[in-house]
């Protein structure tokens, strides 16, 4: 993805987990288009402790080329 989009990584100060912001929103070029983060599930789950979340949109945006 980093060949097509600018991606910036951050570390959450509370959880010490990494997340990434990248791309460009089609409705506001000062905002990232997506985020990718590692999340920790509640401790009461025995099997799955961590997961990955990808967020993008929703965008009210139509690019019409006439």
């Amino acid at each position: 993805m980093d060949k097509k989009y600018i991606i910036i990584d951050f570390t959450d100060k509370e959880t010490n987990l990494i997340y990434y912001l990248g791309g460009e929103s089609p409705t506001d070029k000062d905002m990232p288009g997506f985020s990718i983060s590692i999340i920790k599930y509640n401790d009461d789950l025995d099997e799955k402790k961590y997961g990955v979340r990808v967020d993008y949109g929703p965008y009210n945006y139509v690019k019409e080329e006439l």
Side-chain angles (χ1 to χ4, degrees):
M1 289 183 73
D2 64 346
K3 292 180 182 180
K4 187 171 182 178
Y5 302 105
I6 295 173
I7 298 176
I8 302 169
D9 62 294
F10 297 92
T11 301
D12 186 299
K13 293 180 181 179
E14 290 181 23
T15 63
N16 209 28
L17 297 174
I18 299 171
Y19 65 98
Y20 302 89
L21 300 176
E24 181 180 292
S25 166
T27 58
D28 183 353
K29 61 182 175 180
D30 293 329
M31 298 297 293
F34 61 87
S35 68
I36 302 170
S37 56
I38 299 170
I39 57 173
K40 184 176 181 188
Y41 291 108
N42 295 335
D43 289 334
D44 57 346
L45 297 175
D46 291 334
E47 296 178 20
K48 299 177 183 176
K49 300 286 185 189
Y50 295 92
V52 175
R53 176 175 47 206
V54 178
D55 293 315
Y56 58 93
Y59 298 114
N60 270 335
Y61 176 77
V62 175
K63 184 175 182 180
E64 294 183 17
E65 296 180 18
L66 302 175

